[in-house]
Amino acid sequence: SVIHIEPSIVALLGAGVRVLISRLGRSGYLASVEWETLLFFAGLFVMVGALVKTGVVDTLAPSAIELTGGDMLLTTGLILAVSAPVSGLIDNIPYVATMTPIVAELAAAGPDHQGALWWALALGADFGGNLTAVGASANVVMLGIARRSGNPISFWEFTRKGALVTAVSVALAAPYLWLRYFVLG
């Protein structure tokens, strides 16, 4: 943004320069691209875009306020409790991108507890990314690399261990948010 060029253009230019410098043939550099990962994320962003375009996202904030009766502690807990499993099922990056306008609207309704709402989203999405193999970009990339190196990790093996990590993490985050923002805040 400082030089008024989109980051995607900078990345493509950098990749192009790297290809020219390396003097590799097309098969040399195309073989090392994680095509499955790129297609997975393209589909994921299309799905999130569809949720925004169809108005699903616009109805969520008023529904959350109505569900919690405007109680900010309950709203914080709802964001944490929903963010972890949902972000474990869809990648946490598009999930946070989708939830940002919703949390902004919720934060406007309870300005005294804005920090709690944003941290609930951050912690829920982050810890939820550990739930499944598709919960975080790093997981998808790591599984592809592990498979290529002859050490495949199955989706269910990852999820079995990830569920425990996520449950413990969220169980620790909930009292932290309560203490930090509602008792001591």
Side-chain angles (χ1 to χ4, degrees):
S1 63
V2 173
I3 58 174
H4 306 291
I5 298 176
E6 292 293 323
S8 58
I9 301 299
V10 173
L12 287 172
L13 287 172
V17 168
R18 179 75 175 156
V19 166
L20 290 174
I21 292 172
S22 71
R23 298 186 189 268
L24 287 173
R26 189 179 332 160
S27 62
Y29 58 83
L30 289 179
S32 62
V33 174
E34 290 282 335
W35 292 109
E36 294 165 356
T37 304
L38 290 175
L39 292 174
F40 169 78
F41 286 116
L44 205 52
F45 283 108
V46 167
M47 183 180 72
V48 170
L51 290 173
V52 171
K53 190 76 169 169
T54 58
V56 170
V57 170
D58 292 335
T59 62
L60 290 177
S63 298
I65 291 171
E66 186 178 317
L67 180 68
T68 62
D71 180 324
M72 283 298 122
L73 177 59
L74 197 54
T75 303
T76 300
L78 179 67
I79 291 170
L80 180 67
V82 168
S83 293
V86 172
S87 139
L89 298 174
I90 65 170
D91 187 81
N92 52 13
I93 294 170
Y95 173 73
V96 169
T98 303
M99 286 297 294
T100 296
I102 296 167
V103 172
E105 192 171 324
L106 292 169
D112 294 341
H113 295 98
Q114 287 184 11
L117 299 175
W118 288 111
W119 274 105
L121 175 62
L123 293 171
D126 186 38
F127 295 149
N130 295 323
L131 182 63
T132 67
V134 296
S137 308
N139 300 351
V140 175
V141 172
M142 179 275 310
L143 289 175
I145 293 169
R147 183 180 39 76
R148 279 198 325 206
S149 71
N151 300 298
I153 300 169
S154 75
F155 178 86
W156 295 113
E157 180 183 0
F158 188 101
T159 302
R160 191 174 61 247
K161 292 177 171 97
L164 177 62
V165 169
T166 299
V168 169
S169 300
V170 171
L172 292 171
Y176 165 76
L177 289 169
W178 173 68
L179 282 170
R180 167 66 178 87
Y181 291 99
F182 295 93
V183 174
L184 303 174

